[in-house]
Amino acid sequence: MRIGILTGGGDAPGLNACIRAAVARAEDLGWEAIGIRRGWAGLLENDCFPLSWPFVEKIVSLGGTVLETSRTNPFKREGDEERIFENFQKIKLDALIAIGGDDTLTVAHKLAQRGLPVVGVPKTMDNDVPLTDYTIGYDTAVNISTEAIDRLHTTAASHRRLMVVEVMGRDAGWVAIASGLAGGAHLILIPEVPYDLEEVAQFLIDRKSRGNTYSLIVVSEAIHPKDGTEPFGYEKREVDAFGHVRLGGVGHIFAELLERKTGMEARATVLGHLIRSGPPTPFDRNLGTHLALKAIDLVQEKKWDHMAALKGTDYTSVNLGDVLSQTKRVPLEFYNRIKLFFR
Ligand code: F6P
């Protein structure tokens, strides 16, 4: 067997542990592993190289992806889909492991439906891939965000300020809710629950009148106002090959508006790409490792169009079609439950 491995979409800590484990297990089975550079772009451009244990041995603690990544969509330009199949033959691959979030997995699913022997591994710091408890990169993002929030409390308190902390997560508020709760935020805003600016301002004014000298709010990058208007500046933003608008920066605008409405001095900190950079947590390293081992099982069983997944303490497999027909967002009941701490 000769298997290709690629990573697509935003990078995430734990990807290298996943690549390393796939190579180790492939070699153990007497297979060859081929690294495809920059996600689907590498298959379009025939950009690949042989992977071996000496190359991957020490990358378990390394952030990013040694295969590099891109947001390439081979279903966008005419002829690209055919080129994927041609190059798959040229490289003499028998199977492909595609490690990525919903965009990469959507491409994998479409290609599998057209006959490509491909299996998926869920990766994204957003944690929004359904039918798996966790995705590679989420735990690290929550850890880094929580540490940042812990730190930001002290400067906010010292200056009696309002601190708005913005975290990534796209349309899912998982990172915001987990790090905000763990970091003792006074309010957490997520895309799943639209906000009302007047209500947020009133909440801050009430907090102050109860003797609280400072406030810290965690906001997810794609928060939406209740009145249904476009979030700040969206209409002017670039979109990627999958049609997603580039997010980031809402925290600054939000802080400015709240400063005007409450009279409290405000600052914003956008954590941005920091939370998906650098060494993965032990959890993400082990998650990546086990998901890779499961993905190799799927290749052995020829369970194409499936994804390795974590359910409870079991590494299992799910149909990619089922994964992609659902969404995994923070449920309203979950948000309402932790409102207890918004005080
Ligand atoms: O999907 C992962 C993610 O980190 C999102 O949370 C974020 O909106 C996006 O990627 C940022 O992408 P880029 O690396 O292209 O700026």
PDB file of all heavy atoms in Angstrom, residues 9-12 71 101-103 123-128 167-172 175 221-222 240 244-248 272-273 275-276, ligand 1:
ATOM      1  N   GLY A   9      -7.032  23.466   5.203  1.00  0.00           N
ATOM      2  CA  GLY A   9      -7.685  24.474   6.065  1.00  0.00           C
ATOM      3  C   GLY A   9      -6.691  25.116   7.016  1.00  0.00           C
ATOM      4  O   GLY A   9      -5.474  25.008   6.818  1.00  0.00           O
ATOM      5  N   GLY A  10      -7.209  25.769   8.050  1.00  0.00           N
ATOM      6  CA  GLY A  10      -6.317  26.430   9.007  1.00  0.00           C
ATOM      7  C   GLY A  10      -5.479  25.401   9.750  1.00  0.00           C
ATOM      8  O   GLY A  10      -5.945  24.301  10.025  1.00  0.00           O
ATOM      9  N   ASP A  11      -4.229  25.741  10.052  1.00  0.00           N
ATOM     10  CA  ASP A  11      -3.405  24.787  10.802  1.00  0.00           C
ATOM     11  C   ASP A  11      -3.935  24.678  12.240  1.00  0.00           C
ATOM     12  O   ASP A  11      -4.714  25.532  12.679  1.00  0.00           O
ATOM     13  CB  ASP A  11      -1.929  25.213  10.795  1.00  0.00           C
ATOM     14  CG  ASP A  11      -1.677  26.436  11.648  1.00  0.00           C
ATOM     15  OD1 ASP A  11      -2.524  27.349  11.622  1.00  0.00           O
ATOM     16  OD2 ASP A  11      -0.666  26.491  12.351  1.00  0.00           O
ATOM     17  N   ALA A  12      -3.527  23.636  12.932  1.00  0.00           N
ATOM     18  CA  ALA A  12      -3.998  23.451  14.314  1.00  0.00           C
ATOM     19  C   ALA A  12      -2.966  22.618  15.063  1.00  0.00           C
ATOM     20  O   ALA A  12      -2.390  21.681  14.495  1.00  0.00           O
ATOM     21  CB  ALA A  12      -5.347  22.732  14.322  1.00  0.00           C
ATOM     22  N   ARG A  71      -6.201  26.668   1.803  1.00  0.00           N
ATOM     23  CA  ARG A  71      -7.664  26.558   1.711  1.00  0.00           C
ATOM     24  C   ARG A  71      -8.049  26.385   0.245  1.00  0.00           C
ATOM     25  O   ARG A  71      -8.789  27.178  -0.312  1.00  0.00           O
ATOM     26  CB  ARG A  71      -8.327  27.799   2.306  1.00  0.00           C
ATOM     27  CG  ARG A  71      -8.054  27.991   3.785  1.00  0.00           C
ATOM     28  CD  ARG A  71      -8.923  29.070   4.375  1.00  0.00           C
ATOM     29  NE  ARG A  71      -8.536  29.393   5.744  1.00  0.00           N
ATOM     30  CZ  ARG A  71      -8.956  28.735   6.807  1.00  0.00           C
ATOM     31  NH1 ARG A  71      -9.756  27.708   6.678  1.00  0.00           N
ATOM     32  NH2 ARG A  71      -8.570  29.105   8.016  1.00  0.00           N
ATOM     33  N   GLY A 101     -10.864  20.313   8.557  1.00  0.00           N
ATOM     34  CA  GLY A 101     -12.165  20.705   9.107  1.00  0.00           C
ATOM     35  C   GLY A 101     -13.256  20.485   8.071  1.00  0.00           C
ATOM     36  O   GLY A 101     -13.063  19.734   7.097  1.00  0.00           O
ATOM     37  N   ASP A 102     -14.393  21.151   8.247  1.00  0.00           N
ATOM     38  CA  ASP A 102     -15.540  20.849   7.381  1.00  0.00           C
ATOM     39  C   ASP A 102     -15.265  21.071   5.890  1.00  0.00           C
ATOM     40  O   ASP A 102     -15.763  20.308   5.055  1.00  0.00           O
ATOM     41  CB  ASP A 102     -16.819  21.568   7.847  1.00  0.00           C
ATOM     42  CG  ASP A 102     -16.622  23.049   8.031  1.00  0.00           C
ATOM     43  OD1 ASP A 102     -15.471  23.511   7.902  1.00  0.00           O
ATOM     44  OD2 ASP A 102     -17.611  23.755   8.301  1.00  0.00           O
ATOM     45  N   ASP A 103     -14.460  22.071   5.529  1.00  0.00           N
ATOM     46  CA  ASP A 103     -14.196  22.310   4.102  1.00  0.00           C
ATOM     47  C   ASP A 103     -13.387  21.164   3.488  1.00  0.00           C
ATOM     48  O   ASP A 103     -13.735  20.624   2.439  1.00  0.00           O
ATOM     49  CB  ASP A 103     -13.433  23.633   3.905  1.00  0.00           C
ATOM     50  CG  ASP A 103     -14.277  24.835   4.296  1.00  0.00           C
ATOM     51  OD1 ASP A 103     -15.514  24.728   4.197  1.00  0.00           O
ATOM     52  OD2 ASP A 103     -13.700  25.852   4.720  1.00  0.00           O
ATOM     53  N   LYS A 123      -9.971  17.872  12.199  1.00  0.00           N
ATOM     54  CA  LYS A 123      -9.058  18.852  12.779  1.00  0.00           C
ATOM     55  C   LYS A 123      -9.677  20.243  12.682  1.00  0.00           C
ATOM     56  O   LYS A 123     -10.188  20.607  11.624  1.00  0.00           O
ATOM     57  CB  LYS A 123      -7.750  18.827  11.982  1.00  0.00           C
ATOM     58  CG  LYS A 123      -6.828  19.957  12.164  1.00  0.00           C
ATOM     59  CD  LYS A 123      -6.959  21.232  11.344  1.00  0.00           C
ATOM     60  CE  LYS A 123      -7.857  21.389  10.203  1.00  0.00           C
ATOM     61  NZ  LYS A 123      -7.972  22.762   9.683  1.00  0.00           N
ATOM     62  N   THR A 124      -9.754  20.968  13.731  1.00  0.00           N
ATOM     63  CA  THR A 124     -10.022  22.409  13.724  1.00  0.00           C
ATOM     64  C   THR A 124     -10.077  22.899  15.155  1.00  0.00           C
ATOM     65  O   THR A 124     -10.678  22.252  16.017  1.00  0.00           O
ATOM     66  CB  THR A 124     -11.343  22.816  13.016  1.00  0.00           C
ATOM     67  OG1 THR A 124     -11.629  24.187  13.338  1.00  0.00           O
ATOM     68  CG2 THR A 124     -12.545  21.981  13.429  1.00  0.00           C
ATOM     69  N   MET A 125      -9.444  24.030  15.389  1.00  0.00           N
ATOM     70  CA  MET A 125      -9.518  24.608  16.735  1.00  0.00           C
ATOM     71  C   MET A 125     -10.942  25.045  17.056  1.00  0.00           C
ATOM     72  O   MET A 125     -11.294  25.245  18.211  1.00  0.00           O
ATOM     73  CB  MET A 125      -8.550  25.769  16.897  1.00  0.00           C
ATOM     74  CG  MET A 125      -8.644  26.817  15.825  1.00  0.00           C
ATOM     75  SD  MET A 125      -8.424  28.485  16.456  1.00  0.00           S
ATOM     76  CE  MET A 125      -9.950  28.777  17.297  1.00  0.00           C
ATOM     77  N   ASP A 126     -11.797  25.180  16.032  1.00  0.00           N
ATOM     78  CA  ASP A 126     -13.189  25.611  16.262  1.00  0.00           C
ATOM     79  C   ASP A 126     -14.028  24.527  16.950  1.00  0.00           C
ATOM     80  O   ASP A 126     -15.069  24.826  17.520  1.00  0.00           O
ATOM     81  CB  ASP A 126     -13.866  25.961  14.928  1.00  0.00           C
ATOM     82  CG  ASP A 126     -13.107  27.026  14.148  1.00  0.00           C
ATOM     83  OD1 ASP A 126     -12.298  27.743  14.747  1.00  0.00           O
ATOM     84  OD2 ASP A 126     -13.336  27.141  12.929  1.00  0.00           O
ATOM     85  N   ASN A 127     -13.628  23.276  16.838  1.00  0.00           N
ATOM     86  CA  ASN A 127     -14.346  22.110  17.403  1.00  0.00           C
ATOM     87  C   ASN A 127     -15.769  21.962  16.849  1.00  0.00           C
ATOM     88  O   ASN A 127     -16.664  21.461  17.534  1.00  0.00           O
ATOM     89  CB  ASN A 127     -14.396  22.181  18.942  1.00  0.00           C
ATOM     90  CG  ASN A 127     -14.692  20.837  19.574  1.00  0.00           C
ATOM     91  OD1 ASN A 127     -14.224  19.803  19.099  1.00  0.00           O
ATOM     92  ND2 ASN A 127     -15.488  20.823  20.630  1.00  0.00           N
ATOM     93  N   ASP A 128     -15.988  22.383  15.617  1.00  0.00           N
ATOM     94  CA  ASP A 128     -17.363  22.382  15.096  1.00  0.00           C
ATOM     95  C   ASP A 128     -17.642  21.234  14.119  1.00  0.00           C
ATOM     96  O   ASP A 128     -18.587  21.307  13.334  1.00  0.00           O
ATOM     97  CB  ASP A 128     -17.676  23.733  14.429  1.00  0.00           C
ATOM     98  CG  ASP A 128     -16.742  24.047  13.272  1.00  0.00           C
ATOM     99  OD1 ASP A 128     -15.743  23.321  13.092  1.00  0.00           O
ATOM    100  OD2 ASP A 128     -17.009  25.013  12.534  1.00  0.00           O
ATOM    101  N   VAL A 167     -11.869  35.851  20.678  1.00  0.00           N
ATOM    102  CA  VAL A 167     -11.252  34.569  20.294  1.00  0.00           C
ATOM    103  C   VAL A 167     -11.845  34.072  18.978  1.00  0.00           C
ATOM    104  O   VAL A 167     -12.986  34.357  18.642  1.00  0.00           O
ATOM    105  CB  VAL A 167     -11.424  33.469  21.378  1.00  0.00           C
ATOM    106  CG1 VAL A 167     -10.695  33.834  22.652  1.00  0.00           C
ATOM    107  CG2 VAL A 167     -12.883  33.168  21.662  1.00  0.00           C
ATOM    108  N   MET A 168     -11.040  33.284  18.256  1.00  0.00           N
ATOM    109  CA  MET A 168     -11.510  32.678  17.008  1.00  0.00           C
ATOM    110  C   MET A 168     -12.514  31.567  17.305  1.00  0.00           C
ATOM    111  O   MET A 168     -12.693  31.164  18.444  1.00  0.00           O
ATOM    112  CB  MET A 168     -10.337  32.074  16.257  1.00  0.00           C
ATOM    113  CG  MET A 168      -9.480  33.042  15.506  1.00  0.00           C
ATOM    114  SD  MET A 168      -8.240  32.051  14.640  1.00  0.00           S
ATOM    115  CE  MET A 168      -7.374  33.300  13.752  1.00  0.00           C
ATOM    116  N   GLY A 169     -13.091  31.021  16.261  1.00  0.00           N
ATOM    117  CA  GLY A 169     -14.048  29.921  16.428  1.00  0.00           C
ATOM    118  C   GLY A 169     -15.049  29.853  15.297  1.00  0.00           C
ATOM    119  O   GLY A 169     -15.920  28.997  15.276  1.00  0.00           O
ATOM    120  N   ARG A 170     -14.939  30.838  14.391  1.00  0.00           N
ATOM    121  CA  ARG A 170     -15.873  30.938  13.264  1.00  0.00           C
ATOM    122  C   ARG A 170     -17.318  30.932  13.763  1.00  0.00           C
ATOM    123  O   ARG A 170     -17.587  31.620  14.745  1.00  0.00           O
ATOM    124  CB  ARG A 170     -15.584  29.827  12.243  1.00  0.00           C
ATOM    125  CG  ARG A 170     -16.170  30.116  10.875  1.00  0.00           C
ATOM    126  CD  ARG A 170     -15.374  29.586   9.744  1.00  0.00           C
ATOM    127  NE  ARG A 170     -14.299  30.502   9.358  1.00  0.00           N
ATOM    128  CZ  ARG A 170     -14.494  31.643   8.694  1.00  0.00           C
ATOM    129  NH1 ARG A 170     -15.674  32.007   8.314  1.00  0.00           N
ATOM    130  NH2 ARG A 170     -13.477  32.412   8.391  1.00  0.00           N
ATOM    131  N   ASP A 171     -18.227  30.126  13.191  1.00  0.00           N
ATOM    132  CA  ASP A 171     -19.640  30.216  13.593  1.00  0.00           C
ATOM    133  C   ASP A 171     -19.979  29.441  14.859  1.00  0.00           C
ATOM    134  O   ASP A 171     -21.146  29.349  15.233  1.00  0.00           O
ATOM    135  CB  ASP A 171     -20.532  29.706  12.448  1.00  0.00           C
ATOM    136  CG  ASP A 171     -20.354  30.565  11.221  1.00  0.00           C
ATOM    137  OD1 ASP A 171     -20.193  31.789  11.387  1.00  0.00           O
ATOM    138  OD2 ASP A 171     -20.336  30.025  10.098  1.00  0.00           O
ATOM    139  N   ALA A 172     -18.981  28.864  15.493  1.00  0.00           N
ATOM    140  CA  ALA A 172     -19.226  28.096  16.717  1.00  0.00           C
ATOM    141  C   ALA A 172     -18.530  28.766  17.908  1.00  0.00           C
ATOM    142  O   ALA A 172     -17.393  29.202  17.799  1.00  0.00           O
ATOM    143  CB  ALA A 172     -18.709  26.671  16.547  1.00  0.00           C
ATOM    144  N   VAL A 175     -14.810  27.644  21.678  1.00  0.00           N
ATOM    145  CA  VAL A 175     -13.572  28.139  22.318  1.00  0.00           C
ATOM    146  C   VAL A 175     -13.923  29.257  23.303  1.00  0.00           C
ATOM    147  O   VAL A 175     -13.432  29.293  24.432  1.00  0.00           O
ATOM    148  CB  VAL A 175     -12.551  28.637  21.261  1.00  0.00           C
ATOM    149  CG1 VAL A 175     -11.347  29.280  21.935  1.00  0.00           C
ATOM    150  CG2 VAL A 175     -12.098  27.494  20.360  1.00  0.00           C
ATOM    151  N   GLU A 221     -15.413  35.529  17.554  1.00  0.00           N
ATOM    152  CA  GLU A 221     -15.175  36.419  16.404  1.00  0.00           C
ATOM    153  C   GLU A 221     -16.385  36.637  15.492  1.00  0.00           C
ATOM    154  O   GLU A 221     -16.447  37.633  14.783  1.00  0.00           O
ATOM    155  CB  GLU A 221     -14.004  35.899  15.569  1.00  0.00           C
ATOM    156  CG  GLU A 221     -14.260  34.512  14.975  1.00  0.00           C
ATOM    157  CD  GLU A 221     -13.109  33.988  14.133  1.00  0.00           C
ATOM    158  OE1 GLU A 221     -12.142  34.714  13.904  1.00  0.00           O
ATOM    159  OE2 GLU A 221     -13.194  32.824  13.700  1.00  0.00           O
ATOM    160  N   ALA A 222     -17.369  35.711  15.505  1.00  0.00           N
ATOM    161  CA  ALA A 222     -18.500  35.850  14.573  1.00  0.00           C
ATOM    162  C   ALA A 222     -19.805  36.206  15.287  1.00  0.00           C
ATOM    163  O   ALA A 222     -20.887  35.864  14.793  1.00  0.00           O
ATOM    164  CB  ALA A 222     -18.672  34.568  13.764  1.00  0.00           C
ATOM    165  N   ASP A 240     -12.950  33.432   1.178  1.00  0.00           N
ATOM    166  CA  ASP A 240     -11.971  32.437   0.712  1.00  0.00           C
ATOM    167  C   ASP A 240     -12.585  31.527  -0.359  1.00  0.00           C
ATOM    168  O   ASP A 240     -13.734  31.737  -0.780  1.00  0.00           O
ATOM    169  CB  ASP A 240     -11.398  31.635   1.899  1.00  0.00           C
ATOM    170  CG  ASP A 240     -12.425  30.729   2.565  1.00  0.00           C
ATOM    171  OD1 ASP A 240     -13.500  30.488   1.972  1.00  0.00           O
ATOM    172  OD2 ASP A 240     -12.151  30.252   3.678  1.00  0.00           O
ATOM    173  N   HIS A 244     -16.126  31.597   2.664  1.00  0.00           N
ATOM    174  CA  HIS A 244     -16.200  32.104   4.039  1.00  0.00           C
ATOM    175  C   HIS A 244     -15.572  33.489   4.130  1.00  0.00           C
ATOM    176  O   HIS A 244     -14.458  33.701   3.652  1.00  0.00           O
ATOM    177  CB  HIS A 244     -15.442  31.192   5.012  1.00  0.00           C
ATOM    178  CG  HIS A 244     -15.904  29.780   4.982  1.00  0.00           C
ATOM    179  ND1 HIS A 244     -17.218  29.439   5.157  1.00  0.00           N
ATOM    180  CD2 HIS A 244     -15.231  28.621   4.790  1.00  0.00           C
ATOM    181  CE1 HIS A 244     -17.331  28.135   5.082  1.00  0.00           C
ATOM    182  NE2 HIS A 244     -16.140  27.605   4.847  1.00  0.00           N
ATOM    183  N   VAL A 245     -16.291  34.379   4.802  1.00  0.00           N
ATOM    184  CA  VAL A 245     -15.784  35.732   4.988  1.00  0.00           C
ATOM    185  C   VAL A 245     -14.622  35.696   5.997  1.00  0.00           C
ATOM    186  O   VAL A 245     -14.605  34.864   6.908  1.00  0.00           O
ATOM    187  CB  VAL A 245     -16.953  36.643   5.475  1.00  0.00           C
ATOM    188  CG1 VAL A 245     -17.404  36.277   6.865  1.00  0.00           C
ATOM    189  CG2 VAL A 245     -16.600  38.098   5.396  1.00  0.00           C
ATOM    190  N   ARG A 246     -13.621  36.566   5.776  1.00  0.00           N
ATOM    191  CA  ARG A 246     -12.506  36.595   6.732  1.00  0.00           C
ATOM    192  C   ARG A 246     -12.944  37.330   7.996  1.00  0.00           C
ATOM    193  O   ARG A 246     -13.375  38.487   7.930  1.00  0.00           O
ATOM    194  CB  ARG A 246     -11.282  37.283   6.128  1.00  0.00           C
ATOM    195  CG  ARG A 246     -10.073  37.073   7.031  1.00  0.00           C
ATOM    196  CD  ARG A 246      -8.867  37.829   6.589  1.00  0.00           C
ATOM    197  NE  ARG A 246      -8.353  37.380   5.313  1.00  0.00           N
ATOM    198  CZ  ARG A 246      -7.408  38.046   4.646  1.00  0.00           C
ATOM    199  NH1 ARG A 246      -6.923  39.151   5.135  1.00  0.00           N
ATOM    200  NH2 ARG A 246      -6.978  37.591   3.502  1.00  0.00           N
ATOM    201  N   LEU A 247     -12.855  36.677   9.118  1.00  0.00           N
ATOM    202  CA  LEU A 247     -13.332  37.251  10.377  1.00  0.00           C
ATOM    203  C   LEU A 247     -12.180  37.909  11.142  1.00  0.00           C
ATOM    204  O   LEU A 247     -11.046  37.903  10.696  1.00  0.00           O
ATOM    205  CB  LEU A 247     -13.986  36.157  11.231  1.00  0.00           C
ATOM    206  CG  LEU A 247     -15.182  35.439  10.594  1.00  0.00           C
ATOM    207  CD1 LEU A 247     -15.575  34.216  11.419  1.00  0.00           C
ATOM    208  CD2 LEU A 247     -16.361  36.385  10.460  1.00  0.00           C
ATOM    209  N   GLY A 248     -12.503  38.421  12.320  1.00  0.00           N
ATOM    210  CA  GLY A 248     -11.455  38.989  13.190  1.00  0.00           C
ATOM    211  C   GLY A 248     -11.576  40.495  13.296  1.00  0.00           C
ATOM    212  O   GLY A 248     -11.749  41.180  12.289  1.00  0.00           O
ATOM    213  N   GLY A 272      -6.554  36.112  18.242  1.00  0.00           N
ATOM    214  CA  GLY A 272      -6.214  35.755  16.866  1.00  0.00           C
ATOM    215  C   GLY A 272      -5.522  34.419  16.709  1.00  0.00           C
ATOM    216  O   GLY A 272      -5.856  33.438  17.370  1.00  0.00           O
ATOM    217  N   HIS A 273      -4.510  34.395  15.846  1.00  0.00           N
ATOM    218  CA  HIS A 273      -3.841  33.143  15.474  1.00  0.00           C
ATOM    219  C   HIS A 273      -2.961  32.570  16.580  1.00  0.00           C
ATOM    220  O   HIS A 273      -2.516  31.429  16.491  1.00  0.00           O
ATOM    221  CB  HIS A 273      -3.010  33.352  14.199  1.00  0.00           C
ATOM    222  CG  HIS A 273      -3.868  33.654  13.007  1.00  0.00           C
ATOM    223  ND1 HIS A 273      -4.395  34.899  12.779  1.00  0.00           N
ATOM    224  CD2 HIS A 273      -4.319  32.865  12.001  1.00  0.00           C
ATOM    225  CE1 HIS A 273      -5.127  34.863  11.673  1.00  0.00           C
ATOM    226  NE2 HIS A 273      -5.093  33.648  11.186  1.00  0.00           N
ATOM    227  N   ILE A 275      -3.796  31.498  19.363  1.00  0.00           N
ATOM    228  CA  ILE A 275      -4.394  30.347  20.064  1.00  0.00           C
ATOM    229  C   ILE A 275      -4.352  29.060  19.243  1.00  0.00           C
ATOM    230  O   ILE A 275      -4.718  28.003  19.743  1.00  0.00           O
ATOM    231  CB  ILE A 275      -5.826  30.653  20.568  1.00  0.00           C
ATOM    232  CG1 ILE A 275      -6.841  30.825  19.435  1.00  0.00           C
ATOM    233  CG2 ILE A 275      -5.828  31.877  21.454  1.00  0.00           C
ATOM    234  CD1 ILE A 275      -8.292  30.956  19.932  1.00  0.00           C
ATOM    235  N   ARG A 276      -3.923  29.145  18.004  1.00  0.00           N
ATOM    236  CA  ARG A 276      -3.747  27.896  17.258  1.00  0.00           C
ATOM    237  C   ARG A 276      -2.278  27.704  16.846  1.00  0.00           C
ATOM    238  O   ARG A 276      -1.973  26.883  15.983  1.00  0.00           O
ATOM    239  CB  ARG A 276      -4.686  27.818  16.060  1.00  0.00           C
ATOM    240  CG  ARG A 276      -4.422  28.798  14.954  1.00  0.00           C
ATOM    241  CD  ARG A 276      -5.350  28.534  13.764  1.00  0.00           C
ATOM    242  NE  ARG A 276      -4.689  28.848  12.535  1.00  0.00           N
ATOM    243  CZ  ARG A 276      -5.290  29.393  11.486  1.00  0.00           C
ATOM    244  NH1 ARG A 276      -6.565  29.664  11.517  1.00  0.00           N
ATOM    245  NH2 ARG A 276      -4.616  29.635  10.393  1.00  0.00           N
TER     246      ARG A 276
HETATM  247  O1  F6P B   1     -11.271  27.502  11.046  1.00  0.00           O
HETATM  248  C1  F6P B   1     -10.221  27.778  11.901  1.00  0.00           C
HETATM  249  C2  F6P B   1      -9.987  29.236  11.994  1.00  0.00           C
HETATM  250  O2  F6P B   1      -8.957  29.373  12.927  1.00  0.00           O
HETATM  251  C3  F6P B   1     -11.213  30.090  12.374  1.00  0.00           C
HETATM  252  O3  F6P B   1     -11.462  30.065  13.740  1.00  0.00           O
HETATM  253  C4  F6P B   1     -10.791  31.439  11.866  1.00  0.00           C
HETATM  254  O4  F6P B   1     -11.881  32.276  11.553  1.00  0.00           O
HETATM  255  C5  F6P B   1     -10.025  31.106  10.633  1.00  0.00           C
HETATM  256  O5  F6P B   1      -9.537  29.799  10.801  1.00  0.00           O
HETATM  257  C6  F6P B   1      -8.878  32.024  10.329  1.00  0.00           C
HETATM  258  O6  F6P B   1      -8.331  31.649   9.132  1.00  0.00           O
HETATM  259  P1  F6P B   1      -7.012  32.203   8.471  1.00  0.00           P
HETATM  260  O7  F6P B   1      -5.890  31.356   8.966  1.00  0.00           O
HETATM  261  O8  F6P B   1      -7.229  32.033   7.028  1.00  0.00           O
HETATM  262  O9  F6P B   1      -6.848  33.623   8.903  1.00  0.00           O
END
